[in-house]
Amino acid sequence: MNFIKQAFHVKHEFWRYLVGSLIIAVFAIIGQVPFAVAAIVKYLREGGSITSVEEQDLMTVLEPNLNLFLMLLSFAIGFIGLIIVVKYLHNQTMRSVTTARPKIDWKRILFAFVFWGIVSSGMILIDYFANPEDYVLNFQLNRFLILALIAVLLIPIQTSLEEYIFRGYLMQGFGLLAKNRWFPLIMTSVIFGGLHVFNPEVGKLGYGVMVYYIGTGLFLGIITLMDEGMELALGFHAANNLFGALLVSADWTVLQTHSVLKDISEPGQGFGDIVIPVFIVFPILLFIFAKKYNWTNWNDKLFGNIEEPIVEDIKTID
């Protein structure tokens, strides 16, 4: 069955997707309370004033491992909100938000995770050996082990929540609204990229980096539509964030961790930062995935219409 079209068989009025998105956002905001409280309390204990809290970057107040744990906690709470919305607002299963296949294909998730983990780690190491002056060794065993535990447990939840919202939940919602496949692809990619505008990377690199975020959203949306499921996107996104958090961090990134390496270079916004990932690496990955999974009929899967069933059967998909 068509990944988007199968959502016709559950409660799919568009107002449900608006309300559902709000509920998920509320859960995620509630999940941010422990981080905000811990950061403000520590800041005040160290002599800061309550009037300057808004000007203080609270992301740098806490110890990096505690900071990462509390920051990722909000995604875990948000994921609970997502499950509640899917089950009770739409009478839908998580499987049907994930894939059009009878079962979630864990081999696809694992392949994308391992493949991109190896490639992305290799790219980091190549840059390290090519430009050693841009890095310092940041490895501290005890802190790294704690980081690894937090990252392995929570980063896949963070990335999965983002994928379920944009490549699953809203992809289906916008698809049923527009009755085509290109509109949800564009909308989810723009919204996904737009939400990253608050990342410190944008403040450091400028708004041109939004091309990378929106381009990443397009890439993940394309592999979801072509593969009739978001398994590849789940694996790719988890590997991208997990290996990045473990291997390298920088003072100007959203994830500041006790990683193996620390990037001390002055970031640029040119060819290597935007053009290579979006216009070279992602197309190569699309070619590899297409060959491995025998993707065909690109025009219809990316731009085709979605026809609503004549007789609508509102039941939960098993």
Side-chain angles (χ1 to χ4, degrees):
M1 181 180 290
N2 182 296
F3 174 61
I4 294 179
K5 189 174 181 179
Q6 67 183 357
F8 276 121
H9 296 275
V10 300
K11 295 181 179 179
H12 61 273
E13 297 87 353
F14 192 68
W15 66 264
R16 295 180 185 272
Y17 291 94
L18 297 177
V19 172
S21 298
L22 178 61
I23 292 173
I24 296 168
V26 168
F27 270 77
I29 291 172
I30 293 173
Q32 292 175 357
V33 172
F35 167 80
V37 172
I40 292 174
V41 168
K42 187 171 189 294
Y43 173 66
L44 295 178
R45 283 181 176 177
E46 293 180 348
S49 66
I50 192 67
T51 56
S52 61
V53 167
E54 292 183 359
E55 299 176 2
Q56 170 70 24
D57 183 5
L58 295 180
M59 297 292 293
T60 64
V61 171
L62 299 175
E63 189 276 332
N65 278 335
L66 178 59
N67 181 83
L68 181 67
F69 172 76
L70 292 177
M71 185 177 69
L72 294 178
L73 182 64
S74 67
F75 291 90
I77 303 301
F79 207 98
I80 294 174
L82 170 73
I83 294 173
I84 292 173
V85 164
V86 170
K87 182 175 182 180
Y88 296 104
L89 186 60
H90 295 272
N91 283 359
Q92 190 173 8
T93 64
M94 291 300 292
R95 194 277 306 166
S96 67
V97 186
T98 309
T99 185
R101 283 171 273 276
K103 295 181 180 180
I104 296 175
D105 191 338
W106 292 97
K107 290 183 179 180
R108 273 175 157 83
I109 296 176
L110 183 61
F111 172 76
F113 178 83
V114 173
F115 176 73
W116 184 242
I118 293 173
V119 172
S120 60
S121 299
M123 292 169 66
I124 291 173
L125 292 176
I126 289 172
D127 190 58
Y128 169 69
F129 287 113
N131 305 285
E133 70 279 2
D134 290 342
Y135 298 89
V136 294
L137 188 63
N138 193 49
F139 182 75
Q140 301 175 60
L141 180 59
N142 291 338
R143 290 180 171 180
F144 179 81
L145 291 177
I146 296 172
L147 164 65
L149 178 63
I150 295 170
V152 169
L153 291 177
L154 292 180
I155 284 182
I157 294 177
Q158 174 244 320
T159 57
S160 294
L161 177 62
E162 293 184 5
E163 289 311 304
Y164 269 103
I165 291 174
F166 294 104
R167 260 61 67 177
Y169 186 67
L170 291 180
M171 184 74 79
Q172 290 181 341
F174 283 123
L176 300 190
L177 175 69
K179 303 296 192 302
N180 62 47
R181 298 166 75 90
W182 65 265
F183 181 78
L185 173 61
I186 299 298
M187 283 297 295
T188 57
S189 301
V190 171
I191 297 173
F192 173 77
L195 289 180
H196 287 80
V197 74
F198 302 107
N199 282 16
E201 291 91 334
V202 176
K204 186 69 174 180
L205 301 174
Y207 289 103
V209 75
M210 296 302 295
V211 173
Y212 169 76
Y213 290 125
I214 295 175
T216 301
L218 283 170
F219 165 72
L220 294 168
I222 290 171
I223 63 177
T224 296
L225 292 178
M226 290 304 303
D227 204 47
E228 296 292 358
M230 47 182 281
E231 290 99 334
L232 295 176
L234 285 169
F236 175 92
H237 200 161
N240 188 72
N241 287 29
L242 178 58
F243 286 93
L246 293 177
L247 290 179
V248 63
S249 64
D251 290 336
W252 47 270
T253 60
V254 68
L255 291 180
Q256 298 182 31
T257 65
H258 291 297
S259 55
V260 176
L261 300 171
K262 186 171 184 179
D263 186 346
I264 60 172
S265 65
E266 185 64 26
Q269 188 184 306
F271 184 83
D273 298 302
I274 297 176
V275 175
I276 290 180
V278 175
F279 297 103
I280 298 178
V281 176
F282 290 164
I284 292 174
L285 293 177
L286 285 175
F287 176 80
I288 293 172
F289 287 147
K291 288 297 182 181
K292 179 172 177 59
Y293 296 108
N294 299 314
W295 292 346
T296 58
N297 198 15
W298 288 70
N299 186 66
D300 183 62
K301 286 191 173 183
L302 296 182
F303 304 102
N305 294 325
I306 298 173
E307 296 181 3
E308 183 173 1
I310 297 176
V311 178
E312 190 170 278
D313 181 19
I314 306 296
K315 294 181 180 179
T316 300
I317 301 176
D318 295 325

